[in-house]
Amino acid sequence: MSLKKGLNLWHTLSFRMTLWYTLTFILTSLLALFILYQRISYITMKNTDRYLIEEVNELAAILSIEGFDEIITEFDEEVMSEGENKFFRLLSNDGTVLRSGNVENFGNGDIHVSDTALQSILKHKKKYAFETLEIANYDHKVRVIYGAISPTVIYNMGESLEKSEAYLTAFSNLVLVLIIPFFCLAALIGWLLARHALKGVEEVTQTAIEISQGTLDNRVQAKRRHYEIDKLASTFNKMLDRIQTLIREMREMNDNVAHELRSPLTRMRGIAEITLTGNGSMNDYTEMAANTIEECDNLIELINTMLDITETEAGVNRVDPEPLNIGELILSACQLFEPIAQDKEVRLITDIPENIILTGDRKKLQRLFSNLLENAIKYNKFGGTVTISVQKENNGVGIKIADTGIGIPKEDLPHIFDRFYRCDRSRSLAGAGLGLSLVKAIVKAFNGDIRVESEPNRGSTFFIKLV
Ligand code: ADP
């Protein structure tokens, strides 16, 4: 394996998950085996101690019933009958060995009498004292008991721990033989689990690669995998849907912008051409200049509105919000549009309670009201009315702008907030189809909502909620 391949493998999640899994498995297994080992040695030691206590108690009972002579007989019988892995001693209180048996089986037979054990029996009145001895020239540890069988005699007995040690060694050897294959198996299981868990991620990655090389139409297949992976896949697919929609909208917008720019430019070019090929009178040139200025103004306004929409949607150029009196803003917008309304004999009716205050960007709110008011007058009939009413709602302000104009056909209603969308009947009137897009962007910036109800030839009502 090359160094690069090795590094790549090291950086893969599957490899690291396997490594962590195996290490955790090894550590917990070692800890469990260690605890088991300790537990087994503790239990075997306890069993040995229990046996030693029984022996001491038996001898003490004989001594109290039948006297010291009988003890000697019993002691010698014990020495004869028990195996060679035990030694027996009768000690006086000062540790002098009164009688002993089988000590020669333990190394050179020089088994030390423990002062500490004698002290704990004689001074601290303990019934028994235990010790684990390592005896020179003897290969195994020895468990030793000291127990007072009369006020002057202490019975001292030791049992080799050879069997327990052999048992524990067998256990350790078994663990050592099995541990490597077990750990390899754990690593293999860890690797398979990691591969299985990350399979979904690989599918998402594969789809992303395909998308980066081709079309946006591919999606991660919907399958029942793990919850997290399914969520990742569905979020990824949703993100793709959103990107696709955005790209489609951008394309449409490009087409619309190109179309909107081409018409006035074609018009300007036409006027210039006619003027050039005409009789060259000053009047023609003056008219051409005036037309060009008007077309340019329209174009500038169109571009500015488009920029305003984009900026409002993106939330850039945010000004510090200030408290705004909604009534005042609407009334000043009405004053501004009064002359246009009068031209069309449209009556502006307002129903606005005093002191309804909202915090926000003044200019944006002015654009919102003037766009809606302009439409309500522009698409109204001669002698019609526009009614503007405002009311306070639990967590904001509700505004209603109702007109008695041409109305909006049902099939157009879902599209009127789209950029450059204009209903067929309004094409004869001035406009670029951007006003309501800006209105919607402003309402969104106020965390609000806008909807419309309309009936052709009877009028339209816009409901706005600002927060
Ligand atoms: P514009 O008014 O410049 O065409 P808008 O975005 O303001 O663009 O409006 C989009 C379209 O929605 C208009 O072209 C018109 O067809 C329709 N519309 C908007 N407001 C009204 C209204 N109050 N009454 C009837 N139609 C309306």
Side-chain angles (χ1 to χ4, degrees), residues 362-428:
R362 176 180 293 274
K363 275 200 180 141
K364 289 219 157 52
L365 223 50
Q366 280 170 339
R367 291 290 295 272
L368 176 116
F369 294 137
S370 51
N371 276 354
L372 290 172
L373 214 55
E374 187 185 357
N375 282 352
I377 299 167
K378 187 163 66 173
Y379 301 116
N380 218 320
K381 294 174 188 152
F382 266 89
T385 54
V386 175
T387 313
I388 305 142
S389 50
V390 177
Q391 63 183 45
K392 210 165 167 36
E393 291 182 358
N394 353 346
N395 57 341
V397 182
I399 302 155
K400 205 164 96 177
I401 300 180
D403 64 60
T404 52
I406 58 171
I408 304 165
K410 212 171 164 208
E411 61 277 13
D412 288 323
L413 281 175
H415 307 291
I416 55 166
F417 294 101
D418 295 347
R419 286 182 178 92
F420 299 109
Y421 192 85
R422 305 200 74 202
C423 308
D424 285 341
R425 277 183 73 187
S426 35
R427 286 188 195 279
S428 54

Side-chain angles (χ1 to χ4, degrees), residues 324-334 350 352-357 369 390:
L324 305 168
N325 188 319
I326 299 293
E328 275 174 25
L329 281 178
I330 293 178
L331 288 177
S332 65
C334 287
T350 53
I352 306 170
E354 274 180 15
N355 284 335
I356 293 201
I357 308 290
F369 294 137
V390 177

Side-chain angles (χ1 to χ4, degrees), residues 104-375:
E104 64 284 353
N105 293 338
F106 293 80
N108 50 16
D110 181 17
I111 303 172
H112 169 76
V113 174
S114 162
D115 279 343
T116 332
L118 291 181
Q119 291 302 318
S120 79
I121 290 174
L122 298 172
K123 272 198 178 164
H124 306 297
K125 302 287 177 221
K126 291 255 168 74
K127 242 179 143 184
Y128 318 100
F130 291 94
E131 258 189 352
T132 303
L133 285 185
E134 280 182 34
I135 298 170
N137 298 328
Y138 187 67
D139 294 339
H140 310 287
K141 288 184 178 166
V142 181
R143 187 69 174 162
V144 176
I145 188 170
Y146 294 82
I149 55 172
S150 84
T152 51
V153 183
I154 291 169
Y155 185 42
N156 172 216
M157 182 181 168
E159 180 174 352
S160 167
L161 294 177
E162 184 181 353
K163 273 189 191 158
S164 323
E165 282 173 5
Y167 183 59
L168 287 170
T169 312
F171 174 75
S172 309
N173 288 342
L174 184 71
V175 166
L176 280 177
V177 169
L178 290 181
I179 207 157
I180 305 281
F182 257 104
F183 289 163
C184 292
L185 189 68
L188 182 70
I189 292 173
W191 175 253
L192 292 175
L193 282 177
R195 300 283 307 159
H196 180 67
L198 295 172
K199 202 163 175 265
V201 178
E202 267 171 27
E203 281 177 34
V204 178
T205 313
Q206 192 50 43
T207 311
I209 292 171
E210 282 166 23
I211 286 165
S212 70
Q213 292 166 351
T215 70
L216 269 177
D217 292 330
N218 282 354
R219 293 291 179 272
V220 184
Q221 294 290 312
K223 283 183 203 162
R224 282 192 141 261
R225 307 176 193 91
H226 307 289
Y227 172 75
E228 291 86 348
I229 302 292
D230 285 346
K231 206 166 170 206
L232 173 69
S234 83
T235 312
F236 186 73
N237 286 345
K238 271 187 204 151
M239 185 189 76
L240 288 175
D241 290 345
R242 176 108 184 88
I243 292 174
Q244 230 175 2
T245 312
L246 283 175
I247 290 178
R248 201 194 57 241
E249 281 177 5
M250 260 169 61
R251 280 200 189 125
E252 279 173 15
M253 179 118 128
N254 277 350
D255 292 350
N256 286 329
V257 171
H259 180 77
E260 290 300 318
L261 292 179
R262 196 173 52 187
S263 310
L265 288 172
T266 314
R267 276 198 300 275
M268 278 194 280
R269 193 187 180 285
I271 294 167
E273 199 173 350
I274 290 167
T275 312
L276 276 179
T277 52
N279 54 17
S281 74
M282 194 58 191
N283 248 357
D284 287 353
Y285 281 102
T286 313
E287 201 178 321
M288 182 189 80
N291 279 333
T292 308
I293 289 172
E294 198 187 322
E295 293 288 3
C296 283
D297 283 349
N298 287 341
L299 275 178
I300 291 169
E301 200 192 321
L302 181 101
I303 291 166
N304 283 343
T305 314
M306 272 168 48
L307 286 175
D308 280 347
I309 296 172
T310 319
E311 281 172 8
T312 311
E313 279 177 347
V316 291
N317 287 347
R318 258 194 210 149
V319 293
D320 283 341
E322 54 177 313
L324 305 168
N325 188 319
I326 299 293
E328 275 174 25
L329 281 178
I330 293 178
L331 288 177
S332 65
C334 287
Q335 269 173 9
L336 203 72
F337 282 95
E338 190 60 52
I340 306 171
Q342 273 175 12
D343 283 352
K344 229 175 156 181
E345 293 173 18
V346 170
R347 216 152 46 92
L348 299 181
I349 305 164
T350 53
D351 173 16
I352 306 170
E354 274 180 15
N355 284 335
I356 293 201
I357 308 290
L358 203 75
T359 343
D361 181 341
R362 176 180 293 274
K363 275 200 180 141
K364 289 219 157 52
L365 223 50
Q366 280 170 339
R367 291 290 295 272
L368 176 116
F369 294 137
S370 51
N371 276 354
L372 290 172
L373 214 55
E374 187 185 357
N375 282 352

